[in-house]
Amino acid sequence: MGEDRGEVVLYWRPGCPYCMKLRFRLLFTRLPVRKVNIWRDPDAAAFVRSVADGNETVPTVTVAGHPMVNPSHRQLLAAVREHAPRLLNDQG
């Protein structure tokens, strides 16, 4: 989990209002995002705990392998510009 694959990975869980808000905001960016439900993927849940002080805090996002716990939409886009700018260029 969290390896640098040059992508955005959104770790989420059902019922999380913060996850829903971020997922909704990302729809309008056309940014490619891989979504991982931590309740269905024990390895993903373990990864989130490893970067969130032992908690399953979601949304947790990695941008090209750089983890962010509960980022705002603005923080996420800034991380993409810094760590994976080609994803913004690939939007066509």
Side-chain angles (χ1 to χ4, degrees), residues 14-79:
C16 169
Y18 304 105
C19 299
M20 288 185 271
K21 181 180 176 182
L22 186 59
R23 288 176 67 176
F24 181 74
R25 299 278 316 267
L26 288 171
L27 286 174
F28 297 99
T29 66
R30 295 181 28 214
L31 189 66
V33 177
R34 184 166 56 97
K35 298 167 201 72
V36 180
N37 180 343
I38 67 167
W39 283 0
R40 289 193 175 174
D41 186 333
D43 291 333
F47 170 73
V48 168
R49 288 190 302 273
S50 78
V51 299
D53 297 323
N55 300 302
E56 290 185 358
T57 304
V58 289
T60 291
V61 180
T62 59
V63 176
H66 295 83
M68 304 169 63
V69 178
N70 197 18
S72 68
H73 182 251
R74 185 175 305 209
Q75 290 169 324
L76 175 55
L77 292 179

